[in-house]
Amino acid sequence: MEVLTEEKIMLECRDIKKAYPTPKGDFVVLENFQLQAKESEFVAIIGHSGCGKSTLLTMIAGLNDITAGAITVANHPIQGAGPDRAVVFQSPSLFPWMTSLENVLIGVKQVFPHATTNQRLEICKYYLSKVGLADSFYKKAKDLSQGMKQRVGIARAFALKPKVLLLDEPFGMLDSMTRIELQDVLIDVWSKEKITAIMVTHDVDEAIFLSDRVIMMTSGPYAKVGEVAHIKLERPRNRKTVVEHPDFYKYRQQLLTFLDH
């Protein structure tokens, strides 16, 4: 395992195993999986479908039991789901009859129980504005486009002020133009908040554009870390300069070669 010593470790997955019992014995999805993520680091995880990427993310989120091993956030073992980890799923699962503001407010009320009503509203409005929804505070979720719903999902996650942001293919259901827009929104808000982020994606270009490191997982069963690419492109990143950077194609080739195996 690559051991990180320079900065504080915010998230650690140590010797993680995930197995599901079947009549023919355990089906092992992940085994001996190791991951460390530094404070303020953006880590992308890629791999073939079925290799356990989303399973790993739901275990970090505390939504899926660990068969063996340990997951710690800020050196504390996780105990189920908690506000120190916020998740943005492929579909944001909003309450359709509630407004954008009300959907974000649900979590904010839980995380900031001692804040005043105005303070909570200001937190919600701040993050909704950051994701480009300043004009949509009072629109009901059922009246929002898929891209706007996902913006609410991103705002909701950041508004919880988590230690770790978990992103499970957050742009997978969007058209290519909306996907690019939301990548820019995400990286803009993340660069200001500097929250440790772990993102599962199938998109090689997305992984390179957004992350500091790309973890390449081996195909399951018994999936683990195969290779790691360190993305040494300057931040803040501009899409045009990233694509024109000679190293972009070097990283791209490394990731595609791994996935072709």
Side-chain angles (χ1 to χ4, degrees):
M1 179 179 74
E2 183 183 20
V3 179
L4 305 173
T5 53
E6 295 169 28
E7 285 104 328
K8 183 179 173 189
I9 303 300
M10 180 54 73
L11 171 72
E12 183 167 21
C13 299
R14 198 164 51 248
D15 304 322
I16 295 298
K17 178 179 180 178
K18 181 62 182 180
Y20 292 101
T22 75
K24 294 182 179 179
D26 283 355
F27 177 76
V28 181
V29 182
L30 297 167
E31 186 165 67
N32 192 32
F33 186 89
Q34 319 284 350
L35 173 66
Q36 291 180 321
K38 295 178 284 194
E39 203 172 300
S40 310
E41 187 179 22
F42 199 119
V43 178
I45 300 175
I46 67 165
H48 291 293
S49 293
C51 73
K53 303 184 298 297
S54 293
T55 302
L56 174 69
L57 217 67
T58 55
M59 287 194 291
I60 297 171
L63 302 171
N64 195 346
D65 291 339
I66 306 162
T67 305
I71 298 175
T72 58
V73 172
N75 291 320
H76 296 290
I78 63 165
Q79 302 286 334
D84 57 341
R85 287 149 288 140
V87 191
V88 180
F89 292 108
Q90 197 172 79
S91 177
S93 302
L94 305 179
F95 291 106
W97 63 89
M98 289 186 176
T99 64
S100 303
L101 196 61
E102 288 166 338
N103 269 287
V104 178
L105 193 57
I106 295 168
V108 170
K109 280 181 180 175
Q110 298 290 321
V111 177
F112 303 106
H114 304 300
T116 66
T117 300
N118 273 347
Q119 285 171 333
R120 291 175 188 161
L121 287 171
E122 285 309 308
I123 291 169
C124 297
K125 288 178 178 177
Y126 173 80
Y127 287 103
L128 284 167
S129 298
K130 282 289 178 193
V131 300
L133 293 177
D135 298 332
S136 303
F137 292 161
Y138 305 105
K139 282 187 181 170
K140 286 191 164 52
K142 66 182 174 62
D143 298 325
L144 301 176
S145 68
Q146 191 64 35
M148 290 171 80
K149 286 176 184 174
Q150 198 58 297
R151 287 173 192 255
V152 175
I154 293 168
R156 180 175 59 185
F158 277 107
L160 300 179
K161 303 278 188 183
K163 289 186 171 70
V164 179
L165 179 67
L166 301 169
L167 304 134
D168 190 4
E169 299 261 11
F171 313 131
M173 292 170 67
L174 305 174
D175 63 82
S176 56
M177 285 306 296
T178 308
R179 187 180 189 121
I180 287 168
E181 277 177 26
L182 263 68
Q183 287 170 5
D184 291 337
V185 164
L186 174 65
I187 208 68
D188 181 54
V189 183
W190 172 84
S191 64
K192 292 178 178 66
E193 300 294 319
K194 289 297 184 194
I195 295 169
T196 302
I198 310 291
M199 179 182 193
V200 163
T201 179
H202 276 98
D203 190 314
V204 165
D205 293 350
E206 181 172 86
I208 296 166
F209 177 61
L210 294 174
S211 67
D212 299 304
R213 278 188 302 146
V214 181
I215 307 293
M216 292 165 256
M217 284 178 64
T218 61
S219 295
Y222 301 95
K224 56 183 183 291
V225 176
E227 285 183 33
V228 179
H230 295 263
I231 311 299
K232 295 176 179 175
L233 300 171
E234 286 184 14
R235 294 190 186 274
R237 290 181 189 165
N238 169 286
R239 191 173 299 276
K240 185 171 184 290
T241 54
V242 164
V243 172
E244 289 174 354
H245 196 288
D247 287 348
F248 174 79
Y249 293 95
K250 181 188 78 178
Y251 296 133
R252 201 169 189 270
Q253 191 58 46
Q254 183 184 355
L255 268 61
L256 290 172
T257 301
F258 178 86
L259 291 172
D260 278 345
H261 284 166

